Structure formats: C-alpha cells, structure tokens
Amino acid sequence: MTQKNNLRFGVIGAGRIGKIHAENLATRVPRVEVAGIADVDLKAAQDLAAHLHVLVTVEDYHAILSNPAIDAVAICSSTDTHAKIIIEAAQAGKQIFCEKPIALDLETIDTALEAVEKAGVKLQIGFNRRFDPNFRKVHTMVAEGKIGTPHIVRITSRDPAPPPVSYINVSGGLFLDMTIHDFDMARYLSGSEVEEVYTTAGVLVDPAIGVAGDVDTAIITLRFANGAIGTIDNSRKAIYGYDQRVEVFGSDGMVQAHNNTTDNDVYFNVDGVHSAKPLYFFLERYMESFIAEMKEFAQSIRENTSPSVTGIDGRAPVAIGMAAKKSYMEHRPVKLSEITVPVLELK
Ligand SMILES: NC(=O)c1ccc[n+]([C@@H]2O[C@H](COP(=O)([O-])OP(=O)(O)OC[C@H]3O[C@@H](n4cnc5c(N)ncnc54)[C@H](O)[C@@H]3O)[C@@H](O)[C@H]2O)c1
C-alpha cells in the first residue's frame, strides 16, 4: 500500500473488460488506485493509461508482478493466459482478481488454485452477475425460503451480437465463454450443485462460428443435487438487445428478474404497446455489478476475509461447461461425475 493507504492494482489486459475494470478501479472504488497497466498490445495499454492518468504501462506483465509497490492484480487478458498469470501472481504474493474462466481444463485450474492456496493470497473470479442487485435479490429470496422448495430454474441469456471469430477462437467456445456465467447463476440461484446436463445446440446465427468449431445457439437442461431442474437458453444474437432474465419457481411461489431497460415508460398507440429495449450489452447492463465486485474484492483484501466468489466457484462452472459440451457432442445426458478430475478440497 502507498502512504495514502490506497490499494495499488496492476491491470493485465487492456481490452474490452480490462478497460471496464481499470476505469472502475481508478475512479469508482474508494481507496484504490491503478498503478500500472500491461498489455502485449502496448498501444492498448498506453491509450487506457492516458485516459485514466496511469503512469506505468508495460508490454510484459512480469514487470507488474515484480513491482513491490503493487498489491493486487486484475487479470483481464485473454482466457488462455489466465492460469499462468494466476500462478505467477500468487508466487509474487499479489492478491488476485481474475476474469472468468480460470482455464479451459480442470487440471490447469487445479494447478492454479493450488498455487493460490500455497501462497496464501486471495483469488476472486469475475462472476459479476452475482453482484447484480436484481439477481442477488432472487438468490436471497430463494435462500430465505420465500419460494419454498425450488423446483424449476430458468435462465435466458442472449447476447445482442456475436464477438469476432478471432475472440471465439481463444474463448473456449459458447459453453465455457458465455454459458459459463449462466452455469454460475444456476448454482448461485438454486443454492445447489448441478449433477447432470443435457444440451441441444446449433449454428443458427453465423456460419463462421460453425467453421471455427463452435455453436451460437443452445438450450441446456440441468438437474441439481437438491432435486430441482433447470434450463438455460443462449443465443449469440438477439436483435432487440441483451436479453438477461432469470426465474426460480418453487413449492410456495416464484421469483423473476426481468431485463433492465433504459426507461420504464410504456407508449400505447394504434400500432400496439411499446416500451424500451433491454440495455444493449454487458457494459451497460452489468456496470453496477462490475463496480460492486471490485469494491467487494478490495474490501476482502483490507479486512482479510474470503472473497465471496472463490476459486472453487471459478472451477465448478468449467466442469459444467465441459459436461454440456460432451452432452452436445455425444447427444446424451452427461453426469458431472463423468468429468473426472477429482474436486479439490481447499480450505
Ligand atoms: N465478466 C464478464 O462479463 C466478461 C466480459 C468480457 C470478457 N470477459 C473475460 O475477460 C477476458 C478478456 O476478454 P475481452 O473481451 O476483454 O478480450 P479482448 O480481446 O478485448 O482483450 C484482451 C486483451 O488482453 C491482451 N492480452 C492478451 N495476452 C496478454 C498477455 N499475455 N499479457 C497482457 N495482455 C495480454 C490483448 O492484447 C487484449 O488487449 C476473457 O477471459 C473473457 O472471458 C469477461
């Protein structure tokens, strides 16, 4: 920490999400500052640094890790770099916030989590939707028994437009890149682990996504350990905007969270009844949650408490995503127990 008692963050990766986290850390999280930005694309780091008045920009993130003045890192680089940087950051004694997913296979994730445990540093994974006030309220109401015993969990999650194929190529594909948030929501909202999945999916949006070996549209059914069942439906392209809705139905009622819109005015005329579209994409829809997750991470460092989204929370949705992919490939329900690496027992 500096003399001002600020927590000093290094941001690694200055792309779409790196910009959001860097700006939030620099301007919206109290007693935190961004002390350096790293990106292999140095210009991306420099542009972001200029915007936020950050003095240190580097091409090689190791210069962030070896800087003793930096307390914590936000790993916002592409997915294929996360585990390696987590391991090196842990060995350097940095507190770690890392974007999802930790990695695309469980062995690599476990190696990263072991390094974190050994170093005794904190690791929070970027499942920001848990910090959305509407979804958090659904979670709390279910946990408090307000809807009785959960029977059905429904999650609709559709992007307004697909990312470039260059992104898809290193993303892990729909299930590990996009649905991973919904798998996390499924665990968070139901309060239970997923035991079995069945996936139907296809390429209905863009043939180039199929050429890249991925799908862009999917329905996944879930069976939970507590007996509840669920569905997730995904599309990479909803022409009306970012469609993000959840519902939990139970023995004593139901709780839903609808889309957030720019306003709640409803206009009636001869053509019909009109209201605003959903907020366009994750930047607009989840801004509050991105700020809240960083505030909580900073708080957990200051107060030396465990972050609420742990490494195990980062691992579980990857295992579900692997099962969902296997189910799609093999046209059959897949039990999570078939995804073989034993679950780590971390403190
Ligand atoms: N939580 C969310 O809602 C959310 C949203 C978007 C992306 N993400 C995740 O964030 C990560 C980045 O996604 P994005 O959309 O910002 O991608 P992006 O391609 O826009 O940005 C990634 C940046 O990382 C840089 N980079 C790559 N390797 C690097 C390295 N070794 N060192 C330093 N910089 C490096 C790239 O040059 C690029 O600027 C992905 O893992 C993605 O899954 C999470």
Side-chain angles (χ1 to χ4, degrees), residues 11-21 38-42 44-45 58-61 75-82 85 97 99-101 126-129 167 170-171 176-178 180-181 242 282 286 290 293:
V11 175
I12 301 174
R16 289 190 306 172
I17 201 74
K19 287 187 186 118
I20 294 172
H21 288 318
D39 198 302
V40 285
D41 175 356
L42 188 60
V58 290
E59 216 171 333
D60 182 349
Y61 66 85
I75 303 173
C76 309
S77 45
S78 15
T79 295
D80 54 345
T81 66
H82 292 179
I85 303 178
F97 175 92
E99 263 309 333
K100 44 53 66 175
F127 283 120
N128 58 293
R129 292 183 196 177
Y167 174 90
V170 290
S171 70
L176 291 174
D177 176 51
M178 179 173 162
I180 195 166
H181 277 293
Y242 196 35
F282 65 88
Y286 288 120
F290 288 127
E293 70 179 345

Side-chain angles (χ1 to χ4, degrees), residues 274-325:
H274 314 268
S275 57
K277 292 194 287 192
L279 293 176
Y280 180 68
F281 208 176
F282 65 88
L283 173 62
E284 298 84 359
R285 170 66 181 82
Y286 288 120
M287 184 49 88
E288 211 176 336
S289 72
F290 288 127
I291 299 167
E293 70 179 345
M294 281 304 181
K295 282 186 177 169
E296 189 176 303
F297 181 53
Q299 191 180 355
S300 81
I301 297 171
R302 280 185 204 295
E303 296 178 2
N304 196 18
T305 54
S306 177
S308 65
V309 191
T310 63
I312 291 295
D313 293 319
R315 184 191 196 274
V318 174
I320 305 171
M322 292 169 77
K325 192 168 178 184

Side-chain angles (χ1 to χ4, degrees), residues 69-104:
I70 291 183
D71 306 297
V73 290
I75 303 173
C76 309
S77 45
S78 15
T79 295
D80 54 345
T81 66
H82 292 179
K84 182 173 187 287
I85 303 178
I86 287 176
I87 293 167
E88 291 173 344
Q91 288 165 349
K94 306 299 180 199
Q95 312 297 339
I96 306 165
F97 175 92
C98 182
E99 263 309 333
K100 44 53 66 175
I102 299 173
L104 301 176

